[in-house]
Amino acid sequence: MFERTSFTTLIVGVFVVYVLHTCWVMYGIVYTKPCDTPTNCISPFLAGKPKLQLSIYSTLRPNADGGHTLIHKEDNFEVDSKFERIVNVSLPKKTRHNGTLYAIVFVHQAGMSPWQDPKQVHLVAQLTTYMLPKPPEVSLIAAEDGQNEDGQNEDHSTKNIRHGNPTAGGGAAESDNPVSHWRSRLTLNIVSDHFQFDKESLPSDVQRYLRVFPSGKKMVYLPLLFVDELSNRVKDLVEINRTTKELPLTINYDSISLGRLRFWIHMQDAVYSLQQFGFTEKDADEIKGIFVDTNLYFLALTFFVAAFHLLFDFLAFKNDISFWKQKRSMVGMSSKAVLWRCFSTIVIFLYLFDQQTSLLVLIPAGVGSIIEVWKVKKALKIQVFWKGSKPTLIFGKLDESEKRTEEYDTLAMKYLSYLLYPLCLGGAVYALVFLRYKSWYSWVINSLVNGVYAFGFLFMLPQLFVNFKLKSVAHLPWKAFMYKAFNTFIDDVFAFIITMPTSHRLACFRDDIVFLIYLYQRWLYPVDKTRVNEYGVSYDEADKGKADKGKAHKD
């Protein structure tokens, strides 16, 4: 039985087990077993409805050594009341000189100093973080003329920066070294549920936030205070310079359920772990956006969509590689479409890299580029021979059927070139004159990728033209194609969830149209069993070969 089990079936089985295991883990996170034995219960301090106060201090060190400054106080603090406050925070000299600043958040009994209250809870939050400053974008034409947007002459240091010399005018420090940025939001939560914990089965994720004290014969835990680090987004960061004396801080407070708190703790720990593995603040920010800007129910749907996307991605890669690995003939396949796909995926990868896009988008694009280069080698029948350190490329010859396909392919590309090249050239000139870029390389990459995104679907049309002329689609890798089709529609969902350039988002919807045309051709041209398939063998020949093998085996 195990010998007949296919690799795809095995992968799908592992996927199902993974999804079920994840659902069970998620249930364990959001569900906490309540206390059913009175002697083991830990009761909430909030059940007694004490009068509380919220106090927030700024300090240069997490332990408040060196002094602290009160920046906000809520005298009549109610746990169930949501509020937002905007306060101006004075920046110490050390913070202005690329230093750090922390906030110490206290929840304590009203009328008492938080530093003397034995029943206070507090947490420390960073108000600053280090990031590389965003490179300035300039008009490349204006930089050549030595003028800025207003037509005035620039100083020498500005010219050097615009011409790619960051060392002039102190630009090296700004370009290469991380600088201190202000986190303009501080989001606080307190669990409003009057939940009774069982001291023998305390959740490990909650223990670090739990402060317990004896009250008579029972144990009582203080309010569960939580600082939501996931709400700190890159778009809210403000670069701190030496002249900045104070900056605004938006303080948001809302109550939270115990289940949501536990979920948020796990997500926050997961983002922290990714940063320890080398994810930058920007990469982590993309993941934060999924959790913070999305409804929890929609987030659960996103998880299942992402899991299926991963499965289809793997199966598409597997079937695509199997198809091209066994392929012996290019009959019915547009070689120019293969070349274009390779070129476009490399350009898109370089563009995403230049835009510092999330690794969630960048890594699949890089893997896809490598596979497309390998396909070009197979499609053009390229053999590489090494003579020492110098490679020699030898191109294979086409048979008569492949030459006929190549004629249709060339004819389709001829018609497309009349439309494509003027549009791409016009777009590049327009961008050079009216838009601003970090460098000439950035302009070239942006012009190429805009051509790929805006008009790249035209290069998919030669394959449709070849299909039309041959009245067949039997030569296409339909298994890999259908997995990619599913992923294209899934990408439409992710286009609104994961941060990416607008042109990349629009390209997801553009591919839907081409896939629908392919599906229409699949219905229009039924499989002809006398025609060669993607491996250069007709169905009739394959059946005949199997019959002859069976007969020989019987004899």
Side-chain angles (χ1 to χ4, degrees):
M1 182 182 71
F2 292 103
E3 293 179 358
R4 294 195 301 270
T5 303
S6 67
F7 183 69
T8 301
T9 305
L10 181 63
I11 291 298
V12 171
V14 171
F15 168 77
V16 171
V17 172
Y18 165 75
V19 171
L20 293 176
H21 172 72
T22 304
C23 291
W24 176 253
V25 171
M26 295 299 293
Y27 174 76
I29 290 174
V30 299
Y31 174 77
T32 307
K33 182 183 177 183
C35 180
D36 52 10
T37 306
T39 55
N40 289 338
C41 293
I42 306 177
S43 303
F45 180 67
L46 294 177
K49 297 182 180 180
K51 290 184 178 181
L52 300 175
Q53 185 174 314
L54 175 71
S55 301
I56 304 176
Y57 295 83
S58 65
T59 177
L60 289 172
R61 297 180 181 177
N63 56 6
D65 284 351
H68 51 269
T69 304
L70 180 67
I71 60 177
H72 183 67
K73 181 171 66 171
E74 286 283 329
D75 291 322
N76 299 315
F77 177 62
E78 295 182 7
V79 173
D80 295 321
S81 298
K82 178 180 179 181
F83 65 80
E84 179 179 299
R85 306 282 187 264
I86 299 177
V87 297
N88 290 321
V89 180
S90 298
L91 302 182
K93 185 178 179 180
K94 287 185 178 180
T95 303
R96 298 199 302 267
H97 287 73
N98 214 25
T100 58
L101 193 66
Y102 297 88
I104 303 181
V105 182
F106 286 94
V107 175
H108 56 97
Q109 297 178 91
M112 294 187 65
S113 168
W115 304 97
Q116 278 83 40
D117 186 4
K119 295 180 181 178
Q120 56 81 17
V121 289
H122 71 274
L123 286 177
V124 178
Q126 270 191 288
L127 294 178
T128 58
T129 187
Y130 287 99
M131 274 190 65
L132 289 171
K134 187 178 180 181
E137 294 183 346
V138 299
S139 171
L140 299 175
I141 298 295
E144 281 191 348
D145 295 337
Q147 293 182 339
N148 58 21
E149 289 181 338
D150 300 325
Q152 299 172 344
N153 290 332
E154 298 175 320
D155 60 30
H156 180 67
S157 62
T158 306
K159 279 187 181 180
N160 282 330
I161 294 174
R162 288 194 173 189
H163 282 284
N165 182 13
T167 57
E174 294 180 3
S175 300
D176 300 330
N177 298 327
V179 298
S180 187
H181 284 68
W182 177 253
R183 288 180 167 178
S184 59
R185 301 186 73 87
L186 178 63
T187 304
L188 309 173
N189 302 112
I190 290 180
V191 175
S192 59
D193 303 342
H194 293 171
F195 188 86
Q196 289 195 330
F197 289 100
D198 188 333
K199 66 181 181 182
E200 294 185 356
S201 58
L202 276 175
S204 58
D205 44 35
V206 177
Q207 281 186 20
R208 73 181 99 159
Y209 296 94
L210 206 63
R211 282 198 59 203
V212 180
F213 69 94
S215 177
K217 295 182 179 181
K218 63 179 182 178
M219 300 297 292
V220 177
Y221 69 90
L222 293 171
L224 290 172
L225 175 64
F226 178 68
V227 176
D228 185 4
E229 297 285 349
L230 295 178
S231 297
N232 292 321
R233 305 295 307 281
V234 169
K235 64 183 179 182
D236 298 324
L237 296 178
V238 179
E239 186 176 339
I240 299 174
N241 54 55
R242 297 185 179 185
T243 60
T244 307
K245 295 291 180 70
E246 64 176 24
L247 284 170
L249 175 67
T250 302
I251 302 171
N252 291 288
Y253 169 78
D254 196 5
S255 58
I256 191 174
S257 66
L258 179 60
R260 192 181 182 94
L261 171 71
R262 295 189 60 196
F263 178 78
W264 241 231
I265 292 173
H266 280 270
M267 295 306 104
Q268 202 160 277
D269 289 347
V271 171
Y272 177 76
S273 298
L274 289 175
Q275 289 177 309
Q276 299 305 304
F277 279 109
F279 273 57
T280 64
E281 182 86 17
K282 184 175 177 61
D283 296 326
D285 186 69
E286 308 297 340
I287 302 172
K288 288 180 182 179
I290 296 175
F291 297 124
V292 176
D293 299 338
T294 308
N295 179 277
L296 274 180
Y297 295 105
F298 191 60
L299 184 62
L301 175 63
T302 302
F303 162 73
F304 285 105
V305 169
F308 278 102
H309 190 283
L310 182 64
L311 175 66
F312 291 143
D313 255 342
F314 177 82
L315 295 177
F317 279 141
K318 170 189 171 293
N319 284 279
D320 208 19
I321 291 172
S322 298
F323 169 82
W324 284 95
K325 187 177 180 181
Q326 301 178 54
K327 191 163 185 61
R328 300 195 298 268
S329 171
M330 281 297 291
V331 175
M333 295 291 292
S334 171
S335 58
K336 289 183 175 56
V338 176
L339 279 169
W340 166 252
R341 202 177 297 116
C342 177
F343 171 75
S344 62
T345 51
I346 292 174
V347 167
I348 290 171
F349 172 74
L350 294 175
Y351 169 69
L352 295 175
F353 184 78
D354 182 65
Q355 294 291 314
Q356 298 179 340
T357 306
S358 166
L359 290 176
L360 298 173
V361 178
L362 192 62
I363 292 175
V367 174
S369 300
I370 296 172
I371 292 177
E372 293 300 332
V373 170
W374 174 70
K375 285 185 193 176
V376 168
K377 177 179 176 296
K378 294 286 291 185
L380 301 182
K381 302 179 180 179
I382 300 175
Q383 292 182 329
V384 183
F385 295 95
W386 292 86
K387 294 181 179 178
S389 60
K390 184 180 178 182
T392 303
L393 303 180
I394 299 178
F395 293 83
K397 294 182 179 180
L398 303 178
D399 58 29
E400 291 301 320
S401 299
E402 290 175 321
K403 287 179 180 178
R404 187 157 62 98
T405 301
E406 192 68 21
E407 289 175 7
Y408 296 147
D409 197 15
T410 304
L411 183 62
M413 288 301 301
K414 179 182 176 182
Y415 295 145
L416 283 178
S417 64
Y418 297 149
L419 175 65
L420 188 67
Y421 298 151
L423 288 175
C424 289
L425 185 60
V429 173
Y430 174 85
L432 181 62
V433 175
F434 295 102
L435 302 181
R436 301 167 73 85
Y437 295 96
K438 293 179 288 187
S439 63
W440 284 99
Y441 170 77
S442 183
W443 169 72
V444 170
I445 289 297
N446 274 268
S447 299
L448 288 174
V449 84
N450 285 334
V452 168
Y453 283 140
F455 317 116
F457 75 99
L458 296 177
F459 273 100
M460 301 180 187
L461 300 183
Q463 184 62 65
L464 298 177
F465 185 76
V466 171
N467 296 345
F468 168 73
K469 284 292 186 180
L470 294 178
K471 298 292 187 291
S472 173
V473 293
H475 40 268
L476 296 176
W478 280 101
K479 281 187 178 180
F481 168 77
M482 290 310 299
Y483 290 133
K484 289 180 179 179
F486 290 137
N487 263 357
T488 298
F489 294 111
I490 291 175
D491 285 338
D492 297 343
V493 177
F494 271 99
F496 294 102
I497 299 176
I498 294 180
T499 304
M500 61 180 69
T502 303
S503 52
H504 192 74
R505 182 175 286 126
L506 292 175
C508 295
F509 298 101
R510 177 208 69 191
D511 292 341
D512 295 345
I513 300 173
V514 178
F515 277 132
L516 290 174
I517 296 174
Y518 274 124
L519 288 174
Y520 172 71
Q521 287 190 328
R522 171 77 167 179
W523 170 81
L524 190 62
Y525 308 132
V527 176
D528 180 2
K529 293 192 175 183
T530 63
R531 191 179 300 278
V532 294
N533 65 5
E534 62 266 32
Y535 306 124
V537 180
S538 71
Y539 286 98
D540 286 346
E541 288 177 357
D543 292 340
K544 185 180 176 183
K546 286 180 181 178
D548 290 342
K549 254 187 202 177
K551 186 177 179 182
H553 182 69
K554 286 181 182 179
D555 293 341

